[in-house]
Amino acid sequence: MLKQLILLVCLLPSLSDAKEPITAVAGTWQPTSTAFARVSARQQAVLGLPFAARIIALNVEPGARVAADDELARFDAPLLRQHLAAWQQALLEVRLSQKRLQVLRESESQHAITRRELMAGEQAAAQAQGRSRMSWEILAADLDLLHIKGDATELEARINKEGLPSVARSLGSLRAPFTGIVTERRVALGEQVEATRPVFELEALEQVYLDVGVAHSALPIWKKGKTHWHVESATGSLKSLDGTPLYDAQSGLWLLRYQAENPQRLLRDGAWIEVEHIGMPVAVVWVPASAVVARNGKTWCIVKNGDQFKPVEVEVGAAVNGRVPVLSGIAGGDRVVTSGAYELLYRDLKELIKFVD
């Protein structure tokens, strides 16, 4: 070990061999970081039917852009016809019970029937009203699942005008709940599909979310500044969404959520893309890259003060054109060693012995 010490000491330059130190210059620095982000559609939906049905028409193919309320497919569903017929029958029973109640009231006023008979008629009318409401709730639930606006008065008028079979056929329509892209079609024309089976997948891609993964130490930089996405030769700005970063245990990174306009639909759901963040200007001290050395996981500059050389721990950013921005540790006007700085950091024999052991 003695030979090793002698060899290392001999290799260390004398202070007189070091070049004249360079003056650190105060300035500003804009930190730039890159990271990867996962794209997700602003809205996604897997569209199915609430009951078994036979597909009788398919109006769109995967990749088609559709507007909200556009018809995607037509179908024939026996259960939907049954619910519609049950509601029509319940409405008929309400009208009949009300007519009978009117007759009973007239008869009771003429003392032709007893009060008990009138009350029985009123009870029958109330029960008919209850069955009608229940039938409508069942039918309205079907319409809601099909994204069809249900209006009882309007629908009753249509049945009276067009007939129940015609109205039932018009209700057998699967429509888009929002403007988007059809990404998948899972059925064929004429196919009989069971209840809740997926028929289409729809995504809204005019706006998308991007979840950017960054290290915990980089979070302060990413909180302020401008962020952009890059896909091949295209680029676009990102809008930061308020919210607490989420920790991703799988990657060990913190996820920041952004929103991006995507009119050309270059950002696809599930894609991984590169994003760049330019932080706010930060006051720093600029030194040559050769003035910054590392030891034991820490970063140092050798500062000359008079005839003395002193190692100073510094916090630095990424080098720019051969210069390093120093965020803390030294000040503008300090004289830093640029030649032999690494060797000077190790000149203390006590530290040298620890290093060799």
Side-chain angles (χ1 to χ4, degrees):
M1 181 168 60
L2 180 59
K3 291 182 178 180
Q4 291 176 318
L5 288 174
I6 294 173
L7 177 61
L8 287 171
V9 171
C10 291
L11 290 176
L12 293 177
S14 66
L15 299 184
S16 61
D17 293 333
K19 293 182 179 179
E20 185 66 19
I22 300 296
T23 301
V25 179
T28 59
W29 168 64
Q30 277 192 288
T32 301
S33 301
T34 59
F36 285 95
R38 190 176 188 276
V39 181
S40 58
R42 183 175 59 86
Q43 282 184 284
Q44 291 177 293
V46 178
L47 307 178
L49 302 177
F51 24 63
R54 182 173 62 87
I55 303 299
I56 59 176
L58 290 169
N59 301 337
V60 294
E61 295 292 335
R65 185 178 185 278
V66 296
D69 204 42
D70 278 358
E71 185 178 77
L72 308 179
R74 297 193 62 77
F75 60 87
D76 176 55
L79 188 60
L80 178 60
R81 294 200 308 270
Q82 292 174 19
H83 290 168
L84 190 62
W87 179 60
Q88 184 188 37
Q89 180 62 32
L91 290 176
L92 178 60
E93 291 177 0
V94 168
R95 287 194 291 269
L96 291 175
S97 66
Q98 288 175 341
K99 288 181 179 180
R100 183 168 183 273
L101 181 58
Q102 182 62 31
V103 172
L104 290 174
R105 284 172 175 166
E106 292 176 357
S107 299
E108 195 270 342
S109 65
Q110 298 174 5
H111 305 287
I113 61 171
T114 65
R115 179 62 181 169
R116 179 177 295 182
E117 289 175 306
L118 177 60
M119 292 178 62
E122 291 174 340
Q123 183 178 12
Q127 291 173 343
Q129 287 281 5
R131 289 191 294 269
S132 175
R133 285 193 297 269
M134 180 63 70
S135 297
W136 170 250
E137 290 299 327
I138 294 172
L139 180 59
D142 292 343
L143 300 179
D144 185 61
L145 291 172
L146 293 171
H147 305 286
I148 298 175
K149 185 177 180 180
D151 184 283
T153 303
E154 180 182 339
L155 189 58
E156 183 180 5
R158 286 185 58 193
I159 292 175
N160 295 334
K161 181 180 179 180
E162 303 171 22
L164 189 141
S166 176
V167 174
R169 285 193 297 271
S170 70
L171 294 179
S173 174
L174 181 61
R175 298 181 177 275
F178 52 81
T179 298
I181 304 295
V182 177
T183 57
E184 189 172 353
R185 192 191 76 192
R186 301 189 184 183
V187 297
L189 183 63
E191 186 175 356
Q192 185 75 29
V193 298
E194 61 272 20
T196 71
R197 175 180 165 184
V199 177
F200 289 100
E201 288 190 18
L202 186 65
E203 295 178 353
L205 292 174
E206 276 69 19
Q207 288 182 331
V208 294
Y209 296 124
L210 286 88
D211 292 306
V212 182
V214 302
H216 186 269
S217 59
L219 286 176
I221 295 176
W222 283 76
K223 287 183 178 180
K224 294 182 179 181
K226 296 181 178 180
T227 312
H228 297 81
W229 58 264
H230 301 283
V231 175
E232 298 177 352
S233 60
T235 187
S237 61
L238 295 176
K239 178 184 177 182
S240 178
L241 298 180
D242 294 334
T244 304
L246 299 178
Y247 179 70
D248 179 34
Q250 185 174 2
S251 65
L253 300 175
W254 292 82
L255 300 181
L256 300 172
R257 171 153 283 198
Y258 292 82
Q259 181 176 295
E261 299 296 327
N262 188 34
Q264 303 301 319
R265 299 189 292 279
L266 297 174
L267 306 179
R268 307 296 295 184
D269 181 67
W272 286 91
I273 65 171
E274 187 178 45
V275 298
E276 179 184 43
H277 181 79
I278 301 176
M280 300 295 290
V282 178
V284 297
V285 176
W286 289 99
V287 300
S290 58
V292 179
V293 293
R295 182 184 180 188
N296 296 335
K298 297 181 179 180
T299 308
W300 306 81
C301 282
I302 306 299
V303 178
K304 184 179 181 182
N305 187 4
D307 293 331
Q308 301 296 316
F309 289 84
K310 178 183 179 182
V312 178
E313 185 178 350
V314 294
E315 179 186 359
V316 300
V320 180
N321 298 326
R323 297 192 307 162
V324 173
V326 179
L327 285 78
S328 64
I330 63 174
D334 285 349
R335 306 280 287 169
V336 296
V337 173
T338 60
S339 176
Y342 185 80
E343 290 84 354
L344 288 173
L345 185 63
Y346 281 78
R347 75 180 188 275
D348 190 318
L349 284 179
K350 292 182 180 179
E351 291 297 318
L352 183 62
I353 294 172
K354 293 179 181 179
F355 173 70
V356 174
D357 290 343

